[in-house]
Amino acid sequence: MQNIEVIKKNLEDIKGFLKDEKVMMANRLKSKIIGFLRDFMEKKEFVELLPVIASPVTDPLSSPETTISFSVYGYSLQLTKSMIFHKQFAMLAFDKICIFSPNFRIEKEDLWKSGRHLIEFTQLDLEVKEATREDVMKLGEEMLTEVITRVLDEAREEIQFFGRKLKVPSRPFKTVTYHWAYSMFGKDFEVELSRRADAPIWVLDFPEKSREFYYRQGENPLYLRDFDLIYPEGYGEAISGGEREWRPEKIRERLRNKGIDQSLYYPYLIMLEQGIPPSAGFGMGVERLTRFIAGLESIKYCRIFPKLPGKFGL
Ligand code: ASN
């Protein structure tokens, strides 16, 4: 049971929050950004699908213990942390798909301070059949530059309100390897890299051990055919994605090596055994993109009912 006082306090906070012009402007900007993203995807002939909110299996991410499960009609369902498995499945029917997908992730409580974590957020998740990592990275670069170009032209009032100095990044974006970033800045390299960068920068080839089992391994199987895109000026991660593993024997081997119980992933494993095409794709957080474009200190302004790690909220 929620304490009535806590609920009242939260409602008061929300009322104050809704009167803040920053919230109104950030959400107006986000609405335009979503439109620009949609136009871009349509131009590239993507089919937009609607999101899955709960299903028998979801992305474990690095913390399977934070998966939220509940029972419906005696079957166990999980709240979506990402639609990765559904995206791969959809490749049986479509060549290019995208979804504005709401994700729910229990983050560590102290991450409310990071300025870039919400436990409920939306990512533009996309997948392309038989694509390579390079294909989808190129797509990500085109998408980000097009959105920024259109914002500068068509969201002038919002950009002026935030006093944001934005420039369209030139392509191709710079790339570094995980290995290089880690050796330069240690395990928090994302923060440091982002703080020092004045343009978006790709980080490639994460170690197999550090990421989920669904990314395809590279020529050196210790590293993956994956990537993150990092925003400049300290805004942190923008995009995460890569090529997918589609061969069931490889996934079984990865699960075994990671000590993960295969029965947790039966729907996925059976899908792979019946055959799906290889693909590549990524997800881009919509609120994080809005935060970066507006130059906001906190992501909370980018949703009208923000849920921050460790906090109670409507
Ligand atoms: N959307 C990401 C991807 O496509 C997965 C994630 O959100 N963890 O790889």
Side-chain angles (χ1 to χ4, degrees), residues 2-12 312:
Q2 289 295 343
N3 177 310
I4 296 290
E5 291 313 310
V6 174
I7 296 174
K8 280 190 181 158
K9 164 87 172 60
N10 179 241
L11 288 178
E12 280 311 306
F312 170 74

Side-chain angles (χ1 to χ4, degrees), residues 15-30:
K15 275 196 207 157
F17 189 67
L18 290 179
K19 286 187 199 136
D20 185 340
E21 225 186 332
K22 257 204 280 198
V23 178
M24 196 266 283
M25 280 300 202
N27 281 279
R28 238 170 73 168
L29 177 63
K30 184 179 67 181

Side-chain angles (χ1 to χ4, degrees), residues 24-233:
M24 196 266 283
M25 280 300 202
N27 281 279
R28 238 170 73 168
L29 177 63
K30 184 179 67 181
S31 166
K32 290 190 179 174
I33 290 172
I34 291 172
F36 301 153
L37 289 168
R38 277 214 164 95
D39 289 348
F40 177 81
M41 303 309 296
E42 197 185 325
K43 212 166 52 194
K44 294 284 181 186
E45 299 178 328
F46 278 72
V47 175
E48 183 180 340
L49 304 178
L50 292 176
V52 167
I53 294 172
S55 57
V57 63
T58 193
D59 191 337
L61 301 176
S62 52
S63 48
E65 67 281 1
T66 63
T67 299
I68 298 173
S69 305
F70 50 96
S71 166
V72 180
Y73 308 126
Y75 298 103
S76 170
L77 293 182
Q78 304 183 342
L79 270 192
T80 298
K81 292 205 261 181
S82 100
M83 277 182 62
I84 180 66
F85 304 136
H86 295 84
K87 289 200 297 177
Q88 285 186 269
F89 212 167
M91 294 291 95
L92 286 172
F94 302 98
D95 291 344
K96 296 175 175 185
I97 54 145
C98 65
I99 313 118
F100 284 93
S101 171
N103 292 180
F104 197 89
R105 300 181 180 177
I106 306 178
E107 304 284 0
K108 290 202 179 72
E109 284 190 29
D110 62 342
L111 282 178
W112 69 268
K113 290 184 223 148
S114 76
R116 62 194 172 83
H117 287 89
L118 290 169
I119 63 169
E120 181 181 63
F121 67 95
T122 297
Q123 62 172 321
L124 171 57
D125 225 346
L126 62 88
E127 200 70 15
V128 183
K129 187 159 116 186
E130 273 144 29
T132 62
R133 167 168 80 175
E134 290 67 30
D135 295 335
V136 289
M137 285 168 65
K138 184 162 172 275
L139 189 79
E141 295 189 0
E142 286 176 33
M143 189 162 91
L144 186 60
T145 47
E146 171 151 332
V147 168
I148 296 176
T149 306
R150 287 195 63 186
V151 161
L152 291 175
D153 202 32
E154 297 169 54
R156 286 190 202 174
E157 202 188 321
E158 291 84 351
I159 291 302
Q160 259 169 25
F161 172 85
F162 290 113
R164 179 70 164 135
K165 295 206 173 18
L166 252 192
K167 53 179 190 294
V168 182
S170 45
R171 289 187 277 132
F173 298 170
K174 204 177 148 196
T175 61
V176 298
T177 63
Y178 171 97
H179 187 74
W180 180 88
Y182 192 97
S183 63
M184 288 299 285
F185 308 118
K187 73 172 175 29
D188 290 330
F189 65 81
E190 183 194 306
V191 174
E192 205 44 38
L193 206 56
S194 177
R195 206 173 58 78
R196 289 164 185 247
D198 59 5
I201 178 166
W202 295 103
V203 181
L204 306 183
D205 300 341
F206 284 70
E208 195 278 331
K209 278 198 162 97
S210 72
R211 298 268 263 210
E212 295 78 28
F213 53 80
Y214 49 74
Y215 291 106
R216 188 178 174 194
Q217 288 160 289
E219 243 166 75
N220 176 348
L222 294 177
Y223 297 94
L224 300 168
R225 300 264 309 149
D226 66 346
F227 52 76
D228 273 3
L229 180 70
I230 310 293
Y231 287 125
E233 304 164 78

